[in-house]
Amino acid sequence: MFIIRLSKIEDDIILSLVGKEIIEFSAQASQNGEFITVTDENINCPDIVQAFNIMTVLNLNITHTMIEGGMYQGKVKAKGILSVPTVKDQEEFTSGRASIEQLVEKLDGPFDAEAFADKGVYDVLIIGGGPAGNSAAIYATRKGLKTGLLAETFGGQVIETVGIENMIGTLYTEGTKLMDQVEEYTKSYDVDIIKSQLATGIEKKELIEVTLANGAVLKSKTAILALGAKWRNINIPGEEEFRNKGVTYCSHFDGPLFEEKNIAVIGGGNSGLEAALDLAGITKHVTVLEFLPELKSDQVLQERAAKTDNLTILKNVATKKFWVKIM
């Protein structure tokens, strides 16, 4: 017997999956609508794998097989995959972190606006599911206020971080572990958590009205914007064209795919140097490109970088364009 504990939104996911037409997520050659799921040993892949596993439990017509990219480099190279986790049919189905809610929406379409019709009026509606948003939700609920938390990606950018070493009172933790604990804590209060829903508009009328991408409107007496941070694009030619095809945004996800290659990391801040140091242990050589005359990263990271033989730092360097050089 399988016992799966799922949230209110995930109850809707169960209904959309049970009895759904046959879908096969397969690691075999792509044919007859089968999917290729390629993953690696990183913080995003377990989410993808577990989401597909839950689907197979809920619907026996759905099957799922996984390729471990680090062990089967030949399959990865043959499929031209440069970012993990990746799911492909004849074309790419999805790449990067995705929750079960996001995967089901991609398969079955977005939740209907009517699913949110019974939400009523919140005293406080928080937009953002990172540490700040969860803190606000907890404090609001403790004051006896009807509280909602709306998050396109629950956990925010923290869940993309493997090692956290600068949080007071904690020597070391990982982003997903931290936000799992935060979610469990938030759920211990009467907070209405709404995941995988994008707010597209906010307007002050008699009440504050927040419009979602599916057309639903949430109403609240007060709104708190805890929007957090996202990976920053550098907005140069070729960036969009080669996204997940050589241009990636996290060393932990995609680093193993560039084993024994020469790579570049753009940016000399903490994130840039941390990524460069991680990649130096996998790749042939790492070059850090920093626009400013001095690095912005912590001194401890600069000292580690200086002691790393296969890491070079170039300053006063502006990255202008991405392109493919045919060898």
Side-chain angles (χ1 to χ4, degrees), residues 106-316:
K106 198 170 183 68
L107 287 167
D108 207 35
F111 286 111
D112 193 277
E114 293 181 1
F116 301 88
D118 62 349
K119 294 295 184 182
V121 176
Y122 296 103
D123 293 314
V124 180
L125 178 62
I126 295 108
I127 302 174
N134 279 272
S135 295
I138 291 166
Y139 276 98
T141 307
R142 286 174 63 90
K143 297 297 183 182
L145 302 174
K146 180 181 178 181
T147 304
L149 187 150
L150 175 68
E152 181 184 12
T153 303
F154 189 91
Q157 192 171 335
V158 176
I159 58 176
E160 311 286 358
T161 304
V162 172
I164 299 174
E165 301 176 311
N166 58 354
M167 188 173 71
I168 189 81
T170 303
L171 290 176
Y172 178 87
T173 189
E174 297 180 352
T176 51
K177 179 180 178 181
L178 174 62
M179 293 314 299
D180 283 346
Q181 294 170 335
V182 169
E183 181 175 6
E184 183 179 0
Y185 186 48
T186 302
K187 285 181 175 179
S188 70
Y189 291 90
D190 190 19
V191 178
D192 184 14
I193 300 175
I194 305 171
K195 294 183 180 180
S196 300
Q197 297 299 319
L198 175 65
T200 58
I202 183 168
E203 190 174 2
K204 179 68 169 72
K205 296 182 178 178
E206 183 178 350
L207 296 167
I208 294 175
E209 297 187 0
V210 177
T211 303
L212 308 185
N214 64 0
V217 176
L218 301 177
K219 296 182 179 181
S220 181
K221 298 174 185 177
T222 304
I224 297 176
L225 304 183
L227 304 181
K230 292 184 178 180
W231 301 119
R232 186 169 60 184
N233 295 331
I234 54 177
N235 299 315
I236 60 174
E239 182 174 12
E240 287 298 323
E241 181 182 356
F242 298 114
R243 184 187 300 274
N244 295 328
K245 299 178 179 66
V247 177
T248 66
Y249 294 85
C250 187
S251 60
H252 305 296
F253 309 163
D254 305 321
L257 299 180
F258 300 101
E259 185 177 0
E260 293 303 313
K261 291 182 171 61
N262 295 317
I263 65 166
V265 173
I266 301 173
N270 284 343
S271 296
L273 274 199
E274 287 170 357
L277 289 165
D278 287 340
L279 291 165
I282 304 171
T283 61
K284 184 177 181 181
H285 191 273
V286 181
T287 302
V288 176
L289 308 177
E290 171 55 49
F291 177 75
L292 296 175
E294 299 296 335
L295 297 180
K296 301 169 288 183
S297 53
D298 293 342
Q299 186 63 32
V300 64
L301 294 175
Q302 295 186 40
E303 291 172 359
R304 289 181 197 171
K307 297 176 182 178
T308 305
D309 293 336
N310 64 331
L311 195 158
T312 302
I313 297 173
L314 302 180
K315 304 172 186 177
N316 286 318

Side-chain angles (χ1 to χ4, degrees), residues 323-327:
W323 76 96
V324 174
K325 183 178 181 181
I326 306 299
M327 303 298 290

Side-chain angles (χ1 to χ4, degrees), residues 20 23 25 35 55 93 102-109:
K20 192 172 178 62
I23 303 169
F25 297 96
F35 287 77
M55 291 182 191
F93 175 70
Q102 291 166 328
L103 292 170
V104 170
E105 180 173 320
K106 198 170 183 68
L107 287 167
D108 207 35

